[in-house]
């Protein structure tokens, strides 16, 4: 059985965040301070696609960048194939 799911692509979202931050003139350190993060590693992880921002941080980013949260995220479809229907 085949099923389609929509997921948030962390790598593509990171690329989009990197581009939006650059276009708006923000550095990683500036975002770190605006979000009151203890270190810049979280922001670097988002930009490299290793992690996604928490919902709270995503909301704050959308406010800082003056863009809806949905425009900061990149979604894509995946297909999951299951051999056994009852699993």
């Amino acid at each position: 059985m085949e099923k389609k799911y929509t997921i948030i692509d962390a790598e593509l979202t990171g690329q989009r965040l990197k581009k939006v931050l650059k276009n708006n003139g923000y550095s990683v350190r500036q975002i770190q301070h605006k979000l009151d993060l203890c270190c810049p590693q979280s922001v670097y992880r988002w930009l490299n696609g290793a992690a996604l921002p928490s919902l709270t941080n995503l909301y704050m980013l959308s406010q800082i960048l003056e863009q809806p949260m949905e425009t900061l995220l990149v979604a894509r479809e995946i297909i999951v194939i299951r051999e056994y229907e009852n699993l």
Side-chain angles (χ1 to χ4, degrees):
M1 175 180 207
E2 219 177 74
K3 236 179 167 171
K4 288 184 183 181
Y5 295 94
T6 302
I7 63 166
I8 297 170
D9 188 308
E11 188 175 332
L12 293 177
T13 296
Q15 291 172 11
R16 179 169 291 167
L17 286 173
K18 193 181 296 186
K19 181 179 178 180
V20 171
L21 291 179
K22 182 180 178 182
N23 289 345
N24 285 279
Y26 286 106
S27 70
V28 169
R29 289 279 184 187
Q30 288 172 316
I31 294 299
Q32 172 200 346
H33 292 298
K34 285 187 175 288
L35 297 179
D36 197 28
L37 301 172
C38 63
C39 59
Q41 277 70 27
S42 295
V43 181
Y44 283 116
R45 289 176 50 106
W46 304 338
L47 300 181
N48 292 326
L52 290 167
S54 68
L55 189 55
T56 300
N57 286 331
L58 182 62
Y59 180 77
M60 291 173 65
L61 278 172
S62 76
Q63 298 299 302
I64 292 165
L65 300 169
E66 299 178 350
Q67 292 194 19
M69 292 191 315
E70 304 85 47
T71 64
L72 300 176
L73 300 171
V74 179
R76 68 179 172 93
E77 283 191 355
I78 62 168
I79 297 174
V80 176
I81 299 172
R82 292 197 177 157
E83 292 183 29
Y84 302 102
E85 184 68 30
N86 295 329
L87 291 181

